[in-house]
Structure formats: structure tokens, C-alpha cells
Amino acid sequence: MKILVLNCGSSSLKYQLFDMKGEVVLAKGLVERIGIGGSLVKHTKGESSTVHKPDIQDHSQAIKIVLDLLTGPETGVLSDLGEITAVGHRVVHGGEKNAKSVLITSDVIKSIEECVPLAPLHNPANLMGIYAMQKMLPGVPNVAAFDTAFHQTMPREAYVYGIPFEYYERDRVRRYSFHGTSHDFVSARAAEILGKSIESLKIVTCHLGNGSSLAAVDRGRSVDASMGMGTSCGVLMGTRCGDVDASVLLHIMELGSSASELSDILHKKSGLLGVSGVSSDLRDVEKAAEDGSERAKLACDILYRSVKKYIAAYAAVMGGIDAIVFTAGIGENSDLTRKSVISGLEFMGVKLDDSKNGGLRGKEAIISADDSKVKVLVVPTNEELLIARDTQRLAK
Ligand code: ADP
């Protein structure tokens, strides 16, 4: 079975083609700058990559180019498009109706459309990918895997905000949280690495990348997660603010910012970038801190502290903790972040082994000391593989 996984952003498209026999990636790539000029396609087959610069106006055209590359004489891995058994789409917002991956029907499309107001940048792009695939590969099943789905098991007290209840009932204003596929994948994988059943474990998963979130995964079910109705709350991120008191937002508006300017400030000018004034990229900020920048050091300290606080809070919510899992760009690569976050949590029975924590660079590992009651792991995330597995299961 060959499964194509698509992740459509507003001006980009990422793809991976899996041969599910052995779960091998046959080809993958990235299309950038769709519809904004200067389009770029990076296509990788095995060890070799090629870069193409066609003019791409929309997602439909981007997908056509991807399908041509997958079947082309030099770049191809398929003799015929008929070899593609099914297509899995990453969809950011599934709302309350979609609590797991689903085979796409007209009702599912309607439910994704209904969530557009909740994810105005992402859901329309995801829909474009679905429409284009339906047109180009008629008869091939499409599956949607939602970023929000894994967190639909949260209890009400985790997702209802302390504002008048009608905003929830009427407008579905509530915590949804995101990165669900990643939290699902790494918590399940951590259980495998530990040789335990996921049903026996209380795990805190830390997905720390440009966008970051933590989840409390209690025996395989997400019971709390740090992003909210949108993607700016929780821990400090590259350019997003993390938790901020509502009074601060009102004050910024009273100082003269419009709603859209405020959104820009909170999503694009805050976080590591806003505090450090250096960069949104943690590598640059850690380097600047090392070179003596006080603000860069402060930005790092805010990040470490916010992650530490969520870990302890989620241990309290679950009434215990067996494992902490780090994943995504920062979680997989920054040993300084992992060390700084864990340091001070010894009272909870967590002890890092510094020699295991150093220099991992995207490899699976248990990095806690042998006598640590709580295990600490690094598990590289692989959202595409989980989407491919769900797609295979549903397409069957
Ligand atoms: P996205 O959320 O866009 O998928 P990633 O998961 O790729 O982002 O994470 C990007 C972040 O990971 C950046 O802040 C980057 O600095 C950080 N990162 C990657 N490698 C390292 C490293 N070796 N040390 C510290 N941070 C790193």
C-alpha cells in the first residue's frame, strides 16, 4: 500500500509518500511560496534532492507538480499514479465533531468548513489540498487527521474557560489545543521504548518547536494541553507570547493597537523574538545569551520556567507522573533546554543523567538517571507516519 501524506499551509505544501510495507518514505518534499511569486519545490528521492522553480499560482497547481515529480523519469518513485492507494491530509482544526482521524466525506468537509472561523489561516489551505486531490485522483480515498483530535478527550474542566458559559455553548469558545498527532505519536512511542503499556502510564509530552505545547497524557488519553482556542497560549514560543494576563491585552489595545495589530504582536512579534530582540530561533538566542545578552538569557529563562511549570502542573492534574517526553526542534536538539527544564524537578523524583542528555540531535533516548523514578525521554516526532498509519487503517 502506498500512501501520500499532505500538509497544506497557506502558501506551502509538504508531502511524503510512504510504502507502508516497512513504513519506508519513498519520496518527500516541500513546495514554498505558492501564489506569492518566487515558488520553490524541493523534492527528495532517497538520498538525492532536486530543486525546481516553476511558477505556482495555487494549491491545485502545486499538487499537480508534486504528482508529476512522483511519476517523472528522473524524480519519480511511481510508475503510475494508480499506485497511490490513499491520501492522508493534515487538518489543523476538527472542532468538537472530529475526535479522531476520519475518511473524508461531504459531511466531514462541511465540518472542516465550519471550523474555518477557529483556524482562519490553516483550515482553508487544508481544504484546498483536499479539493485538489479529489479532483486529481478521483476514486482514491482521502483521510483527514486533525491536530485537535487527540485532545478531544480532555474533561470539561480542562477546556471550558472561566467566562460566561454562553460563549462556549453558542460560539464554541473553548480550549482545543493542537499538535495532537505529535503528542499521540511520541507518548505511544515512549511507552514502547519503556516496554510498558500506554494504559499504565502518566506522561507529560513536551512538543517544543517554533510553536510549542505540552500535554498531560493519562493512560493514553490527553486530559489537558497548553494551547487554547488558538495557538498563542501556553509556553513561550519562537514569536508567540505564551500565557499572558488578559489585562495586558486590553491595555495594549487601549494604548492604540487594533485587534489585527494586537494579533500581529502576540503571534509574530512576541516570544523568544520579542523578549530577546535577537531572533525567534532558539539556537541564535542561546548563542546570544552565552555571549552576554541579558535579554536573550531572560528569553531562555522564561521558556525553561514556563515548560517546568506545566510539567509540574500536569503531574498534579494526573495525580502522578511516570515519564516526561521531549520532542520537536527544541525538544529533540537543545540539551540546554532539557537540562534547564528538568533542573529543580528533583523533588518530583526526576533525575537527569547529563552524560545521556548531551549531543543527541534527533535520536530516541532515555536521558534520566537509572535510579530516576520518573523517566525522561527524547522521542523524535513523526506526525506524517502517524497520519499515514491512520490513512492506511481507514482506507482499508
Ligand atoms: P516547527 O514548529 O516550525 O516545526 P521545529 O520543530 O523545526 O519547528 O523547531 C524549530 C526550533 O528548534 C527553532 O527554535 C530552532 O532553533 C530549534 N532548534 C533546532 N535545532 C536546535 C539545536 N541544535 N539547539 C537548539 N535549538 C534548536
Side-chain angles (χ1 to χ4, degrees):
M1 226 182 186
K2 303 214 169 105
I3 305 277
L4 179 62
V5 174
L6 287 189
N7 180 357
C8 290
S10 51
S11 66
S12 69
L13 185 167
K14 288 186 205 147
Y15 61 94
Q16 286 198 17
L17 181 74
F18 287 88
D19 184 345
M20 296 312 285
K21 206 166 111 206
E23 297 187 329
V24 188
V25 177
L26 299 173
K28 62 181 176 178
L30 168 66
V31 186
E32 287 177 290
R33 302 188 60 86
I34 299 170
I36 52 175
S39 310
L40 204 71
V41 186
K42 188 175 174 210
H43 176 81
T44 305
K45 167 189 168 185
E47 297 292 300
S48 72
S49 294
T50 45
V51 174
H52 311 261
K53 294 183 179 172
D55 182 36
I56 307 178
Q57 297 300 330
D58 55 31
H59 284 75
S60 194
Q61 217 182 332
I63 288 176
K64 167 92 177 57
I65 288 168
V66 169
L67 296 179
D68 286 347
L69 285 166
L70 292 174
T71 47
E74 302 287 316
T75 53
V77 286
L78 301 171
S79 52
D80 187 279
L81 285 179
E83 285 181 53
I84 298 177
T85 328
V87 183
H89 299 260
R90 177 191 178 204
V91 179
V92 166
H93 219 303
E96 291 189 322
K97 282 193 187 146
N98 295 297
K100 45 175 119 83
S101 299
V102 287
L103 201 59
I104 297 178
T105 60
S106 53
D107 277 351
V108 171
I109 291 187
K110 207 160 129 238
S111 74
I112 299 171
E113 283 168 349
E114 279 165 13
C115 293
V116 167
L118 296 169
L121 295 180
H122 295 100
N123 273 31
N126 304 152
L127 281 164
M128 280 192 274
I130 294 169
Y131 298 144
M133 235 46 238
Q134 286 181 327
K135 200 171 90 195
M136 260 169 278
L137 297 180
V140 172
N142 287 280
V143 165
F146 302 93
D147 264 37
T148 48
F150 184 61
H151 302 304
Q152 278 298 306
T153 46
M154 282 192 284
R156 270 186 153 193
E157 59 271 30
Y159 68 74
V160 172
Y161 290 121
I163 58 174
F165 198 64
E166 59 261 31
Y167 286 102
Y168 168 60
E169 283 191 311
R170 187 187 57 213
D171 306 312
R172 291 292 169 243
V173 171
R174 52 159 284 179
R175 179 190 303 282
Y176 291 95
S177 208
F178 302 87
H179 298 133
T181 314
S182 177
H183 291 291
D184 187 0
F185 180 86
V186 300
S187 56
R189 183 69 199 128
E192 278 172 14
I193 295 169
L194 293 173
K196 299 228 161 105
S197 141
I198 184 85
E199 282 83 25
S200 69
L201 293 171
K202 295 171 195 273
I203 304 178
V204 176
T205 43
C206 313
H207 177 110
L208 309 176
N210 278 317
S212 303
S213 66
L214 275 80
V217 185
D218 190 355
R219 290 159 285 185
R221 291 159 64 86
S222 171
V223 293
D224 213 335
S226 65
M227 279 183 166
M229 177 162 135
T231 56
S232 65
C233 81
V235 298
L236 194 81
M237 301 176 224
T239 59
R240 288 174 249 170
C241 55
D243 294 333
V244 175
D245 168 13
S247 303
V248 175
L249 315 183
L250 294 170
H251 187 69
I252 293 175
M253 288 189 94
E254 278 160 11
L255 289 173
S257 294
S258 66
S260 77
E261 283 164 348
L262 181 61
S263 170
D264 227 41
I265 292 168
L266 302 176
H267 291 95
K268 297 184 182 157
K269 297 182 179 165
S270 296
L272 290 171
L273 174 68
V275 177
S276 72
V278 173
S279 167
S280 63
D281 191 302
L282 185 69
R283 282 166 290 204
D284 301 338
V285 184
E286 281 181 348
K287 173 84 177 49
E290 208 182 288
D291 293 345
S293 161
E294 292 278 326
R295 276 176 55 185
K297 173 152 188 339
L298 177 60
C300 292
D301 288 343
I302 296 174
L303 166 68
Y304 308 150
R305 188 185 177 95
S306 60
V307 178
K308 189 196 305 272
K309 278 166 70 170
Y310 268 102
I311 292 174
Y314 286 169
V317 159
M318 294 189 289
I321 178 166
D322 301 301
I324 299 166
V325 183
F326 287 96
T327 193
I330 294 173
E332 290 167 31
N333 297 301
S334 173
D335 33 336
L336 180 59
T337 298
R338 294 189 299 258
K339 185 178 163 67
S340 309
V341 165
I342 296 300
S343 134
L345 291 179
E346 292 79 7
F347 77 95
M348 281 173 30
V350 194
K351 206 154 92 187
L352 211 61
D353 181 332
D354 286 337
S355 68
K356 292 180 186 158
N357 181 44
L360 280 173
R361 296 288 171 273
K363 283 206 208 89
E364 282 183 349
I366 299 175
I367 57 170
S368 43
D370 292 341
D371 62 344
S372 179
K373 193 168 91 32
V374 179
K375 304 297 170 204
V376 185
L377 297 93
V378 175
V379 179
T381 193
N382 195 340
E383 290 152 291
E384 291 79 10
L385 177 58
L386 196 127
I387 296 173
R389 285 178 185 162
D390 279 2
T391 304
Q392 178 185 33
R393 180 172 47 80
L394 289 162
K396 266 183 183 164

